[in-house]
Amino acid sequence: MTAPDVGRGIGNGESAAEITTTFVGLPRDSFRILHVSTGNVCRSPITERLTRHFVAQRLGVLGGGLIVESAGTWGHEGAPMESNAETVLGDFGADASGFVGRELLDEHVIRADLVLTATRDHRAQVISMGHSAGLRTFTLKEFTRLVKAIDPATLPPLEEGVVFRARALVRAAAALRGWLLAPTAEADEVYDPYGAPLTFFRSVGDEIHEALDPVVTALTGVPARA
């Protein structure tokens, strides 16, 4: 058996409109990334705000129809993020202001074009909600592993729009999911720092940063600045 051609079905004669209308979410000129953890006060706020920050670093602004948000499977509705999470974001120069926790709702999953979860349990909970979420829901580290295996040359150039490129990236990752398995079950997990000291929060922040970097590079086509 041979691995699937991840370039097929991405740009093989289909127009951007034809591909984008196959996804559930906002109108086809936007792409919504949803980060999911448990309380939506630690891991998913860090991941949300770091994604925004790293995309803005590469593209100059967070725009082009890319929307990044987060929620929690047992979300603390209306709560601020943990102070240690704010500190971690500050370490990276990312903006922590104005964050408000949310409980994960059906409408969040329905509108999302890509769901990235902290753990496999979160991924299972999102998929169990239905809404054809299976092909667009991954743990963050799982998605990173898959993205690293995708040849950037098979993705549409950024000139065709970050939304078109992002949708092609999700399709390619989904095609590879059954071929690139995690070396261990724990390899796809980002553990919960809730209640832990700042040193552990910082280690989680570094872990999230390491996982996000290749994802944002693949989304934007622009590597991180040295």
Side-chain angles (χ1 to χ4, degrees):
M1 296 177 68
T2 58
D5 181 354
V6 296
R8 295 187 63 188
I10 297 171
N12 55 339
E14 296 175 87
S15 69
E18 288 171 334
I19 290 180
T20 55
T21 52
T22 66
F23 283 77
V24 177
L26 290 178
R28 56 189 168 210
D29 59 349
S30 63
F31 184 91
R32 187 178 292 255
I33 301 172
L34 175 66
H35 293 291
V36 175
S37 62
T38 302
N40 193 216
V41 292
C42 298
R43 288 167 292 181
S44 51
I46 292 173
T47 314
E48 172 198 319
R49 293 306 177 91
L50 284 183
T51 302
R52 294 185 186 183
H53 180 65
F54 296 144
V55 169
Q57 282 185 327
R58 287 162 169 78
L59 298 183
V61 293
L62 179 59
L66 190 64
I67 300 166
V68 186
E69 58 187 1
S70 62
T73 55
W74 291 89
H76 301 298
E77 189 74 29
M81 76 173 75
E82 286 286 294
S83 61
N84 282 344
E86 291 187 359
T87 300
V88 167
L89 289 172
D91 291 343
F92 288 100
D95 182 14
S97 65
F99 181 84
V100 178
R102 303 190 306 173
E103 181 178 357
L104 181 66
L105 302 175
D106 288 271
E107 65 188 67
H108 301 145
V109 177
I110 291 169
R111 293 185 300 184
D113 298 284
L114 172 62
V115 184
L116 297 176
T117 70
T119 69
R120 291 168 297 144
D121 283 346
H122 296 132
R123 181 185 63 194
Q125 289 180 65
V126 171
I127 293 173
S128 72
M129 295 171 73
H131 315 301
S132 303
L135 290 178
R136 51 196 168 90
T137 302
F138 310 80
T139 74
L140 171 62
K141 288 186 175 181
E142 174 192 20
F143 194 66
T144 300
R145 184 175 66 255
L146 299 172
V147 162
K148 285 180 176 180
I150 296 169
D151 182 355
T154 66
L155 298 174
L158 189 60
E159 289 76 14
E160 294 187 28
V162 68
V163 169
F164 190 29
R165 184 180 177 93
R167 295 186 188 279
L169 183 66
V170 173
R171 289 163 66 94
L176 282 174
R177 195 201 301 261
W179 294 87
L180 295 177
L181 303 179
T184 65
E186 292 74 22
D188 282 344
E189 307 280 293
V190 176
Y191 290 107
D192 193 355
Y194 185 77
L198 179 57
T199 52
F200 188 69
F201 267 84
R202 283 186 163 135
S203 70
V204 168
D206 289 341
E207 198 175 344
I208 290 171
H209 167 248
E210 184 178 351
L212 276 178
D213 182 69
V215 171
V216 176
T217 297
L219 280 171
T220 63
V222 180
R225 298 171 184 170

